[in-house]
Amino acid sequence: MFSFHDVIGQEEVKQKLLHEAHEGRIAHAQLFCGPPGGGKMALALAYARYLCCPHHTPTDACGTCPSCVKWDKLVHPDVHFAFPIVKNAKAKKEVCDDYLPQWRQLLLESPYFALEHWLDKMDTENGQAIIYAKESDEITRKLSLKSSEGGYKITIIWLPEKMHEACANKLLKLLEDPPRQTVFLLVSETPEQILPTIQSRTQRINIPKISDEDIARALQQKYGVQPQDSETIAHMANGSFLKALETIHLNEENDLFFNLFVSLMRLSYARKIRDMKQWSEQVAGLRRERQKDFLAYCQHMIRESFISNFHCQEMNYMTRAEQNFATRFAPFVNERNVMGIMHELSEAQIHIEQNVNPRMVFFDFSLKMIVLLKN
């Protein structure tokens, strides 16, 4: 686990990282960015393991040395992690190390995961996960220590766009004057939200979507999915191995989002105001990060429903249940209202991120859908 041969697809990126390591051109700060499910974290972990391994081969870590044995359990003393957390004063959990057992468990299960999976693993109450200012002091303290094994000291920061401004500014100073033999690996899904000054001090590595062929092959080899089914799932995944996993595991969250979306569209079309208010309260009861995920899912369904009007199957990425609903729903999403619906969904996302009362946000959106669906 956590080796280059475990990363699904991404051969071009692997070769680039290996080539730079062989030539000794290892940038002290690297920004891995790309769409969810493309394997950014898997690549960052494999690269970090390779840099730590004193006996690596031309293509991968050896897998047997003391460094690799520690990597198998994610207990290498020179590798540190920073990631978004939700503070829990009652349990005295204020920095990333307080959640390290849960973090290791998540990575050991699979390096292909999303923020929602991490929030579930933390078992937190409603709250937005961020990397707090205090974390920058922890990073500085760890990097001030001498390397335990005489090699690189590596800090992997997952979702640096979630950093508190004070934390980001302190990290900037570290990037400007890094300790000797220190490597920062930043793994981001929305790099445009990172401070421009931090972006300018990192070497950006764009991670593309995984090819359908690589996803299908991984599903067959790792999960025993039949070839024809694996090809169908790979197409629906649209380059995200995470989506492929959710499909074969019958992800409960996707089912919830689908049912909420269908319910909203039907209630809005029928103008059932009282039921729409109850619907808004149900969605408002979700965790704020899940509310944002739901709005992203709604955008996905609107886009797919609009595209299905063109009867071009290869351009659609929906499950069978979604396709069955879209067959009837698609005529109500057309060139007269599709941009308006997407705009309202984007506005709702912004308001949720700004901690606006979610009951107001979702009820307001549902009311606007009445007008938009009639267009």
Side-chain angles (χ1 to χ4, degrees), residues 1-2 6-8 37-43 45 72 74 102-115 117-118 121 158 210 218 222-223 240-246 248-249:
M1 188 175 281
F2 312 128
D6 296 311
V7 178
I8 298 162
K40 300 180 295 297
M41 179 56 85
L43 280 163
L45 291 167
D72 287 337
L74 293 175
Q102 295 95 318
W103 175 253
R104 286 174 177 149
Q105 185 182 358
L106 180 71
L107 290 179
L108 288 168
E109 288 172 2
S110 173
Y112 294 85
F113 61 92
L115 180 59
H117 301 122
W118 172 229
K121 190 66 70 175
W158 181 57
I210 308 172
K222 295 176 181 288
Y223 299 94
S240 169
F241 191 66
L242 182 58
K243 283 186 179 179
L245 289 178
E246 290 174 348
I248 64 174
H249 291 153

Side-chain angles (χ1 to χ4, degrees), residues 49 52-55 62-77 149:
R49 179 175 187 153
C52 290
C53 179
H55 307 299
C62 73
T64 57
C65 69
S67 171
C68 287
V69 170
K70 292 168 188 169
W71 257 100
D72 287 337
K73 297 180 181 179
L74 293 175
V75 292
H76 197 291
E149 307 211 348

Side-chain angles (χ1 to χ4, degrees), residues 4 28 40 48 74 76 81 117-119 140 157 172 180 233 270 275 309 337 340 352:
F4 279 119
H28 78 275
K40 300 180 295 297
L74 293 175
H76 197 291
F81 293 96
H117 301 122
W118 172 229
L119 290 171
T140 302
I157 304 177
L172 176 60
R180 182 176 171 274
I233 293 170
D275 292 338
N309 287 316
N337 64 4
I352 291 298

Side-chain angles (χ1 to χ4, degrees), residues 200-215:
S200 66
R201 285 161 176 78
T202 61
Q203 176 180 291
R204 180 163 174 159
I205 300 171
N206 292 315
I207 314 298
K209 293 180 178 180
I210 308 172
S211 70
D212 288 1
E213 294 79 10
D214 287 327
I215 291 178

Side-chain angles (χ1 to χ4, degrees), residues 302 305-307 309-310 330-341 372 375:
I302 294 298
S305 298
F306 179 68
I307 292 296
N309 287 316
F310 300 103
F332 297 97
V333 181
N334 50 60
E335 66 277 4
R336 294 186 299 276
N337 64 4
V338 64
M339 294 304 294
I341 296 173
L372 288 164
N375 285 335

Side-chain angles (χ1 to χ4, degrees), residues 50-62:
Y50 188 83
L51 295 180
C52 290
C53 179
H55 307 299
H56 57 69
T57 70
T59 58
D60 218 332
C62 73

Side-chain angles (χ1 to χ4, degrees), residues 41 44-45 71 74 78-86 94-100 103-104 106-107 113 115 118 122 129-143 154-164 167-168 171 174 183-188:
M41 179 56 85
L45 291 167
W71 257 100
L74 293 175
D78 295 328
V79 179
H80 311 291
F81 293 96
F83 39 81
I85 64 169
V86 177
E94 298 181 336
V95 293
C96 294
D97 280 1
D98 296 330
Y99 285 101
L100 204 51
W103 175 253
R104 286 174 177 149
L106 180 71
L107 290 179
F113 61 92
L115 180 59
W118 172 229
M122 278 194 290
I130 64 173
I131 302 176
Y132 294 93
K134 190 174 181 179
E135 200 60 44
S136 57
D137 297 329
E138 286 292 299
I139 294 172
T140 302
R141 179 186 64 79
K142 291 171 183 175
L143 294 181
I154 300 174
T155 299
I156 300 176
I157 304 177
W158 181 57
L159 301 186
E161 56 267 38
K162 297 284 187 182
M163 281 193 290
H164 186 277
C167 180
L171 179 65
L174 273 176
V183 176
F184 288 92
L185 302 180
L186 283 63
V187 182
S188 171

